[in-house]
Amino acid sequence: LNFLRFFNKLVRELRTFDADHPTVRTDLQRLSTALGDCFGGKDTFSLGRDQDNLAIQEEIVEDKSEVVATFLSYLKTTRVAKIVLRSELPEAEIISLLRLVGMKAEDVLREKRIRPELLQPFRVIRVMEARFVLVTDDQEVVSKGILGDSAGEGEGEQPGSPGKSTVPLQSLS
């Protein structure tokens, strides 16, 4: 879970520094390296929350460390349920993601949903938000939890854009 340390650190740093600050640049490279290790030869890497637990690659991780708790608090505050990363990520999207999850709820949410303009920068990264629906006794409950391949398909996702350039994860600079 080393990547979460760098992720959380960058969220805090980007609240204070510009993305071009030397400290941010160094930690972006460290995050890139740590995330690269997480892919394990796969094209995507997913992480999110299921209630108060961290889910990585569709599996619940039993870890109650401060690093995990901080990451989950960022997701909970911004109502992000799941993030799916691809092995080639534009640096601008990573920075947008870090800024998004580091925002205050009142700056992210409109009518209990993530403001659509905050999701516009994402073409490669998929950001899915948590939604809650009140169900009455005469209605059937159908769950699309974050676990499972079809979870949240399309929610918060921005379609890919032809011509968008990406860089290998290890080469962010």
Side-chain angles (χ1 to χ4, degrees), residues 49 79-81 112-114 128-132 155:
R49 63 183 177 89
R79 295 182 64 108
V80 172
K112 298 182 183 178
R113 301 277 317 267
I114 298 174
M128 286 153 274
E129 63 184 316
R131 290 192 198 171
F132 303 96
E155 291 182 28

Side-chain angles (χ1 to χ4, degrees), residues 31-32 35-36 39 43-45 47 83-95 97 122-126 165-173:
L31 175 64
S32 171
L35 273 174
F39 280 87
D43 290 335
T44 62
F45 176 69
L47 60 156
I83 301 164
V84 180
L85 307 170
R86 296 204 175 275
S87 59
E88 294 204 4
L89 293 168
E91 183 177 320
E93 285 193 37
I94 294 172
I95 292 168
L97 176 64
F122 302 111
R123 301 285 181 246
V124 175
I125 295 174
R126 291 177 47 201
S165 62
T166 60
V167 294
L169 195 56
Q170 299 290 341
S171 304
L172 291 179
S173 58

Side-chain angles (χ1 to χ4, degrees), residues 1-117:
L1 300 179
N2 200 33
F3 73 95
L4 284 182
R5 291 184 210 297
F6 295 118
F7 189 97
N8 292 348
K9 186 176 181 201
L10 279 159
V11 168
R12 289 187 305 271
E13 288 172 1
L14 286 167
R15 288 177 178 162
T16 306
F17 302 117
D18 186 51
D20 291 329
H21 190 279
T23 302
V24 172
R25 304 296 318 150
T26 298
D27 287 335
L28 276 171
Q29 192 60 47
R30 289 177 177 160
L31 175 64
S32 171
T33 301
L35 273 174
D37 296 340
C38 295
F39 280 87
K42 295 184 180 180
D43 290 335
T44 62
F45 176 69
S46 65
L47 60 156
R49 63 183 177 89
D50 185 9
Q51 309 265 329
D52 291 326
N53 295 305
L54 175 65
I56 296 179
Q57 295 294 77
E58 316 306 337
E59 298 288 330
I60 297 294
V61 176
E62 296 296 328
D63 187 326
K64 302 297 181 190
S65 67
E66 185 177 335
V67 170
V68 169
T70 298
F71 178 74
L72 291 174
S73 74
Y74 291 146
L75 298 187
K76 194 172 193 175
T77 298
T78 56
R79 295 182 64 108
V80 172
K82 183 177 179 180
I83 301 164
V84 180
L85 307 170
R86 296 204 175 275
S87 59
E88 294 204 4
L89 293 168
E91 183 177 320
E93 285 193 37
I94 294 172
I95 292 168
S96 293
L97 176 64
L98 292 162
R99 286 190 171 134
L100 172 67
V101 300
M103 295 173 80
K104 296 177 184 174
E106 59 267 19
D107 296 332
V108 173
L109 304 175
R110 179 184 305 137
E111 297 175 10
K112 298 182 183 178
R113 301 277 317 267
I114 298 174
R115 293 183 6 231
E117 62 270 21

Side-chain angles (χ1 to χ4, degrees), residues 143-157:
S143 175
K144 282 189 181 181
I146 69 164
L147 301 178
D149 291 337
S150 64
E153 285 296 316
E155 291 182 28
E157 178 182 353

